[in-house]
Amino acid sequence: MADPAGGPGAMALLTKEPAPQTVPASDLPMKVYEVALNTGTDSSSGLATAGFRIAKYLPAEWHLNNSELYHKAFASCDHAERDRAEAKELAEYADAAAQRAQKDSTAAVGQRLEDIHFWKSQLQKEIEDLDAETCLLAAQKRRLERALDATEVPYTIVTDNLQCRERRQAPDLVCDEVERELLKEADLIRSIQELLKRTLIQARNQMRINREHKEVCEMDWSDKVETYNIDDKCGRYSNQSTNIQFHPTSVKFEESTSTPETWAKFSHDNIYRAEREKLASINLRDLIDNILHDTSEDMRKQCAAVNEAFEKRCEELYDTKHKLEHHLKNILKEIGYQEANIAALKQAIKDKEAPMKVAQTRLYDRSFRPNVDLCRDEAQFRLVSEVEELTESIKSLKKKLLESEQSLRNLEDTRMNLEKDIAVKTNSIFIDKQKCMAHRTRYPVVFKLAGYE
């Protein structure tokens, strides 16, 4: 039954809020609602049975509900049938995939066993080679120790020469060619000693490194043996094995696990480093022979160079002494000339005082000219220019006087140095000729320096 125009059913059809009233609601008259009466063939008169009529479903609604239940039952059956077909197909696919995965895993484990066996063999060979090379290097180390002891006598001689020459008096205590050759010889012997010591250390370190790399290879080899046994055991597992069980946590990768590339690189690097150290050990043994030969020859050549420098130095000392005496005479003359020059400069500065007084007095007096006569005329400009010229001349003369006085002081210092040098030349000749060169006759022979007994 349709609702009246003003009933609740009409309000339910609204899709938006009603427009606002132009007249306030309080001013409008109250609307009177009338209760609609039930009319028609299916209605009964009277309000006493109204509740029983409105609580019932209509027959059309009952049939519609049954139809919906039939449709849901049919759809559920159809969906369950499709799920059973998909489950069967999925189970067959999963079984085939599991068999295929297990076959691939077994083949991968077998390939892994071949890789492990290869690296294990390479490591075993490298361990044996390193052990043999270490024994050969130990023999060369003993020869180095004997050669190092033989360098003590030459170093004592060159040290004594340097100490004797330190007793030369200044200013003859110079780093001359002999000094440079002696220092070069001392540096050479020290460098040879350091070289032999470093080579000894290098030999000891190389032996230690050989042993360390041997241990690394042995540890890697041991790991490969253990891994080979584990993977061989894993390759023999099957679905019928009795010692298999669930390990849910084993499927995750540990953070410290390696990749196939890093695993192969680890063993490759171990072998590479072992090969490199083995080659370094071989080269070191060859290097020791060359070092002992070259160092003994270098020391004898430097000894001859030092002796030759001593001979030249003694000749230079005699010649220098005569030249210093000649220069001393010239310095004394120049000192006299410079003293006269300083006196002349002082007199020239004094001679400029009177002209300066005249010019400044004229300028002072002219400043009292009255009124318009205080004019910057040509005479005024000339007087100002004269004062400036005199000032610049005096400044230049004083500067030159300072330079001349400094030159005189330098000449006096040079005279004192020359006199001192001439006084110590005889002492220097005695030290080089009588002390140092006589001591160098005790220099050892090459056979001794080469480390042979």
Side-chain angles (χ1 to χ4, degrees), residues 352-404:
K352 297 299 180 294
E353 293 178 356
M356 178 64 76
K357 291 178 181 179
V358 172
Q360 290 180 353
T361 301
R362 287 174 177 177
L363 285 171
Y364 178 76
D365 290 343
R366 283 172 62 84
S367 66
F368 292 100
R369 287 175 296 171
N371 300 324
V372 73
D373 286 328
L374 187 62
C375 178
R376 288 182 292 178
D377 52 9
E378 183 65 25
Q380 184 75 12
F381 285 113
R382 191 65 190 89
L383 286 171
V384 171
S385 175
E386 181 184 4
V387 171
E388 292 177 351
E389 290 175 1
L390 288 172
T391 301
E392 186 65 26
S393 298
I394 294 172
K395 181 179 179 180
S396 300
L397 290 171
K398 288 182 177 180
K399 180 179 179 183
K400 181 56 68 175
L401 177 61
L402 292 175
E403 294 176 355
S404 299

Side-chain angles (χ1 to χ4, degrees), residues 143-157:
R143 188 181 170 198
L144 275 174
E145 293 171 348
R146 293 193 297 267
L148 180 61
D149 295 336
T151 60
E152 293 299 329
V153 173
Y155 188 72
T156 302
I157 292 175

Side-chain angles (χ1 to χ4, degrees), residues 222-367:
S222 177
D223 292 341
K224 293 294 184 292
V225 171
E226 184 176 356
T227 304
Y228 186 90
N229 294 333
I230 293 174
D231 282 353
D232 182 64
K233 177 182 177 182
C234 292
R236 299 178 187 276
Y237 283 139
S238 66
N239 294 336
Q240 290 75 32
S241 299
T242 59
N243 54 344
I244 58 176
Q245 57 184 342
F246 288 108
H247 296 281
T249 59
S250 64
V251 296
K252 65 179 181 179
F253 288 104
E254 299 291 340
E255 294 182 359
S256 59
T257 56
S258 61
T259 62
E261 292 77 12
T262 57
W263 173 82
K265 186 177 183 299
F266 179 77
S267 296
H268 176 271
D269 291 346
N270 286 338
I271 294 175
Y272 172 77
R273 287 192 292 266
E275 285 285 347
R276 184 183 60 190
E277 297 304 330
K278 183 177 67 176
L279 180 61
S281 181
I282 294 173
N283 293 335
L284 181 59
R285 289 192 288 111
D286 295 336
L287 180 64
I288 291 173
D289 290 332
N290 296 331
I291 287 175
L292 293 176
H293 176 268
D294 294 342
T295 54
S296 60
E297 290 294 331
D298 291 343
M299 291 174 67
R300 287 303 304 176
K301 289 179 181 179
Q302 185 59 33
C303 177
V306 172
N307 292 337
E308 183 180 356
F310 266 116
E311 293 290 343
K312 291 181 179 181
R313 181 58 179 170
C314 290
E315 295 176 1
E316 290 175 353
L317 286 172
Y318 286 113
D319 182 64
T320 302
K321 180 180 178 182
H322 295 297
K323 290 181 179 179
L324 289 174
E325 291 173 349
H326 173 71
H327 285 296
L328 179 60
K329 294 179 182 179
N330 294 333
I331 289 294
L332 292 174
K333 291 180 182 179
E334 189 61 31
I335 288 174
Y337 296 150
Q338 194 62 268
E339 289 176 347
N341 180 47
I342 291 172
L345 287 172
K346 290 180 178 179
Q347 184 61 40
I349 293 171
K350 185 176 181 181
D351 291 342
K352 297 299 180 294
E353 293 178 356
M356 178 64 76
K357 291 178 181 179
V358 172
Q360 290 180 353
T361 301
R362 287 174 177 177
L363 285 171
Y364 178 76
D365 290 343
R366 283 172 62 84
S367 66

Side-chain angles (χ1 to χ4, degrees), residues 34-313:
E34 296 179 357
V35 178
L37 299 178
N38 292 329
T39 59
T41 57
D42 295 331
S43 63
S44 61
S45 61
L47 297 176
T49 60
F52 294 97
R53 292 193 297 272
I54 62 176
K56 300 297 191 294
Y57 289 100
L58 298 178
E61 293 177 341
W62 180 78
H63 288 291
L64 179 61
N65 181 62
N66 292 336
S67 177
E68 291 177 354
L69 290 176
Y70 300 154
H71 179 72
K72 289 181 179 180
F74 176 78
S76 297
C77 291
D78 183 65
H79 183 68
E81 185 177 355
R82 286 198 305 270
D83 284 347
R84 284 188 288 104
E86 292 176 359
K88 181 179 180 182
E89 182 181 355
L90 180 60
E92 292 175 353
Y93 175 79
D95 184 58
Q99 294 179 5
R100 186 167 55 253
Q102 187 179 84
K103 181 179 179 181
D104 293 343
S105 298
T106 303
V109 172
Q111 181 63 42
R112 186 66 172 172
L113 288 172
E114 294 180 4
D115 295 340
I116 295 172
H117 179 72
F118 169 77
W119 289 113
K120 183 178 66 173
S121 301
Q122 294 295 321
L123 289 168
Q124 178 66 33
K125 178 178 178 298
E126 203 60 39
I127 291 170
E128 296 173 355
D129 292 344
L130 278 175
D131 187 44
E133 179 59 31
T134 304
C135 295
L136 295 176
L137 184 59
Q140 287 293 80
K141 181 177 72 69
R142 291 189 292 271
R143 188 181 170 198
L144 275 174
E145 293 171 348
R146 293 193 297 267
L148 180 61
D149 295 336
T151 60
E152 293 299 329
V153 173
Y155 188 72
T156 302
I157 292 175
V158 69
T159 302
D160 181 74
N161 290 162
L162 288 170
Q163 290 176 350
C164 287
R165 301 192 91 236
E166 286 296 322
R167 293 194 291 270
R168 293 174 298 169
Q169 299 176 2
D172 209 39
L173 188 62
V174 295
C175 185
D176 52 10
E177 184 64 23
V178 177
E179 188 83 7
R180 288 190 291 271
E181 291 296 334
L182 284 172
L183 291 173
K184 187 188 296 184
E185 185 178 32
D187 291 338
L188 175 64
I189 296 174
R190 281 195 298 267
S191 64
I192 289 174
Q193 290 176 340
E194 291 298 324
L195 175 61
L196 295 178
K197 291 177 182 178
R198 288 197 306 270
T199 309
L200 271 172
I201 295 174
Q202 187 177 358
R204 296 189 186 103
N205 290 337
Q206 188 63 53
M207 293 173 62
R208 177 181 54 80
I209 293 173
N210 289 350
R211 289 190 293 267
E212 289 177 354
H213 280 71
K214 177 187 173 185
E215 293 175 359
V216 170
C217 290
E218 287 174 345
M219 293 177 64
D220 194 6
W221 176 85
S222 177
D223 292 341
K224 293 294 184 292
V225 171
E226 184 176 356
T227 304
Y228 186 90
N229 294 333
I230 293 174
D231 282 353
D232 182 64
K233 177 182 177 182
C234 292
R236 299 178 187 276
Y237 283 139
S238 66
N239 294 336
Q240 290 75 32
S241 299
T242 59
N243 54 344
I244 58 176
Q245 57 184 342
F246 288 108
H247 296 281
T249 59
S250 64
V251 296
K252 65 179 181 179
F253 288 104
E254 299 291 340
E255 294 182 359
S256 59
T257 56
S258 61
T259 62
E261 292 77 12
T262 57
W263 173 82
K265 186 177 183 299
F266 179 77
S267 296
H268 176 271
D269 291 346
N270 286 338
I271 294 175
Y272 172 77
R273 287 192 292 266
E275 285 285 347
R276 184 183 60 190
E277 297 304 330
K278 183 177 67 176
L279 180 61
S281 181
I282 294 173
N283 293 335
L284 181 59
R285 289 192 288 111
D286 295 336
L287 180 64
I288 291 173
D289 290 332
N290 296 331
I291 287 175
L292 293 176
H293 176 268
D294 294 342
T295 54
S296 60
E297 290 294 331
D298 291 343
M299 291 174 67
R300 287 303 304 176
K301 289 179 181 179
Q302 185 59 33
C303 177
V306 172
N307 292 337
E308 183 180 356
F310 266 116
E311 293 290 343
K312 291 181 179 181
R313 181 58 179 170

